[in-house]
Amino acid sequence: MTIMKSTGFRPYIKLEKCGTLIVLFLIQPIKVIILVYFYNCASVRGATWVQNFCTVGKVGGLGIIIIAGIVLLIQGNTQYINFNGPGTDPLRLSIAFYNGLFSYVGWSCLNALTEELKNPTRDFPIAASLSLSLVTIIYVMANVAYFAAMSPAEMMASPAVAITFGDKVLGNFAWLMPLAVVISTFGATNGNVLALSRLIFVGARDGLLPDLFGMVHIKFLTPMPALLAMGFFTVIYGLYDDVGSLINYTGFSYWLFVGIVATGLLWMRHTRPDMPRPFKVPVIIPIIFSLFCYALVILSIFASPFEALIGTIIILTGIPLYIYGVVWKNKPQWLKDILDSGLLFFQKLMQVISQEIDTQMF
């Protein structure tokens, strides 16, 4: 890092390669994860404010990339924008989809937060269609901008494409890209914590997980036990260095169950046609979507059998827990007493109570 004094009031920081900001952010990811879970336990409003701020910062950074890319295209930098090249192995393409779709997986977070929307019948369809459309447009335009400045070989060699783009194109303002990457990464972490912890919370409330995880803090009204449980496993996964393999491990199980859920929607359309539905989509959409999910999963089994095996093992670990917690109803009294005592202890420790389902707590 080279620090140079500018004519302004603040020093200008020239960031090389990954950039100092992104390095400082990534050298201690566990502390960042703990910080995110801490304020999510303390305030839903605070977590949503952080999410809004990070979204603005991320879109702003991508907007800079897109504008710079448009300028480069106007100047005639189109040599890397072509579709000519060696063929792609369809099997390996499925693994590429896992990594690419990871950028769009935020749509599932909206599903998890539907219960906390004030008017889900109106707001959910608008939010889903608008956000997915904007994300697709922004990401495609950003990638076109990358190819206006970098060759495929440069992109493959880059540890962070946006930062390399900034170093090549933005000159003295290259420091904006590491800052945008940090904000984007932090926002993605916050959004997943905010949304996915609700899956644990609702699962426990519906009797599929221990009752403790379906409770909320008496003052903060946040699902603190669910957040702490999710935080524990997040820290464990955070100790694993190969992020790409983690995406493949979880991608296999994730898209398998997404396909199953979409198939379940079709089944309910057939078996319960008169069920009240606040909004509906044409039936062809879940059909195409579920077929795509299954094709993606099947191809990935042949392309990367080891990752598929690990994903299968992760899925299977839930079966004995499900049998113990849900199927086994007649537990001996001594075990029930131990479980009740443990539940009471953790309730007092975390100051949590069961949520009244008919009361909007958040």
Side-chain angles (χ1 to χ4, degrees):
M1 180 183 76
T2 303
I3 300 179
M4 303 169 55
K5 290 186 178 180
S6 67
T7 56
F9 293 102
R10 297 181 180 179
Y12 165 68
I13 303 177
K14 183 178 180 181
L15 301 168
E16 301 174 353
K17 295 184 179 180
C18 289
T20 302
L21 289 175
I22 189 82
V23 171
L24 290 176
F25 179 75
L26 292 177
I27 55 176
Q28 294 181 323
I30 302 301
K31 291 184 179 179
V32 174
I33 291 172
I34 293 174
L35 172 64
V36 173
Y37 277 98
F38 174 79
Y39 66 72
N40 268 271
C41 287
S43 173
V44 175
R45 187 179 298 274
T48 54
W49 184 91
V50 170
Q51 190 61 34
N52 292 336
F53 172 81
C54 291
T55 300
V56 172
K58 173 169 59 177
V59 174
L62 290 170
I64 294 173
I65 293 173
I66 291 170
I67 293 173
I70 292 174
V71 173
L72 291 173
L73 292 174
I74 293 174
Q75 294 174 345
N77 294 277
T78 59
Q79 64 271 28
Y80 300 126
I81 302 178
N82 62 75
F83 297 94
N84 298 322
T88 301
D89 183 356
L91 296 181
R92 298 303 302 173
L93 188 61
S94 63
I95 302 300
F97 264 109
Y98 279 162
N99 290 271
L101 290 172
F102 186 77
S103 302
Y104 295 85
V105 79
W107 66 270
S108 63
C109 295
L110 181 60
N111 296 332
L113 290 169
T114 302
E115 187 182 68
E116 299 177 32
L117 295 176
K118 293 182 179 180
N119 189 352
T121 302
R122 181 199 65 187
D123 296 342
F124 183 87
I126 295 175
S129 57
L130 184 62
S131 62
L132 283 174
S133 300
L134 288 175
V135 167
T136 302
I137 293 171
I138 291 172
Y139 278 11
V140 170
M141 292 182 68
N143 278 277
V144 171
Y146 291 148
F147 280 110
M150 292 178 284
S151 67
E154 287 178 301
M155 295 180 66
M156 291 293 293
S158 172
V161 177
I163 296 174
T164 303
F165 178 92
D167 290 339
K168 292 193 64 174
V169 176
L170 299 181
N172 290 345
F173 294 96
W175 59 271
L176 289 172
M177 287 300 99
L179 179 61
V181 170
V182 169
I183 293 175
S184 175
T185 306
F186 194 90
T189 303
N190 181 78
N192 279 282
V193 171
L194 178 65
L196 301 183
S197 59
R198 272 57 180 178
L199 298 179
I200 299 175
F201 171 72
V202 174
R205 195 181 63 188
D206 292 345
L208 301 176
L209 291 170
D211 293 337
L212 178 66
F213 299 145
M215 297 184 177
V216 296
H217 193 273
I218 58 176
K219 178 181 178 181
F220 303 135
L221 303 180
T222 58
M224 184 179 291
L227 283 163
L228 294 177
M230 184 176 169
F232 172 78
F233 287 104
T234 303
V235 170
I236 297 299
Y237 281 119
L239 298 175
Y240 192 72
D241 293 332
D242 191 350
V243 177
S245 294
L246 279 178
I247 294 175
N248 293 336
Y249 297 155
T250 57
F252 173 82
S253 55
Y254 176 82
W255 289 105
L256 174 61
F257 279 98
V258 167
I260 293 173
V261 170
T263 305
L265 172 63
L266 294 171
W267 178 252
M268 293 186 68
R269 283 280 191 95
H270 174 69
T271 58
R272 303 179 66 179
D274 299 326
M275 180 180 180
R277 292 175 171 86
F279 58 89
K280 295 173 64 175
V281 297
V283 71
I284 191 63
I285 293 179
I287 291 176
I288 295 175
F289 183 71
S290 58
L291 290 175
F292 169 80
C293 292
Y294 293 137
L296 186 62
V297 170
I298 292 172
L299 288 175
S300 69
I301 293 175
F302 294 98
S304 187
F306 178 74
E307 282 83 355
L309 175 62
I310 297 298
T312 303
I313 292 174
I314 293 174
I315 295 172
L316 295 177
T317 57
I319 294 179
L321 295 176
Y322 179 81
I323 293 174
Y324 166 78
V326 179
V327 177
W328 187 19
K329 300 293 185 181
N330 299 320
K331 296 181 178 65
Q333 189 60 43
W334 63 267
L335 181 57
K336 291 182 180 179
D337 293 339
I338 294 176
L339 295 175
D340 290 341
S341 299
L343 176 61
L344 182 61
F345 171 78
F346 284 108
Q347 277 191 266
K348 293 179 179 179
L349 179 65
M350 290 185 278
Q351 298 184 344
V352 294
I353 58 174
S354 297
Q355 180 199 27
E356 294 292 338
I357 297 179
D358 294 331
T359 302
Q360 188 172 357
M361 300 293 291
F362 302 101

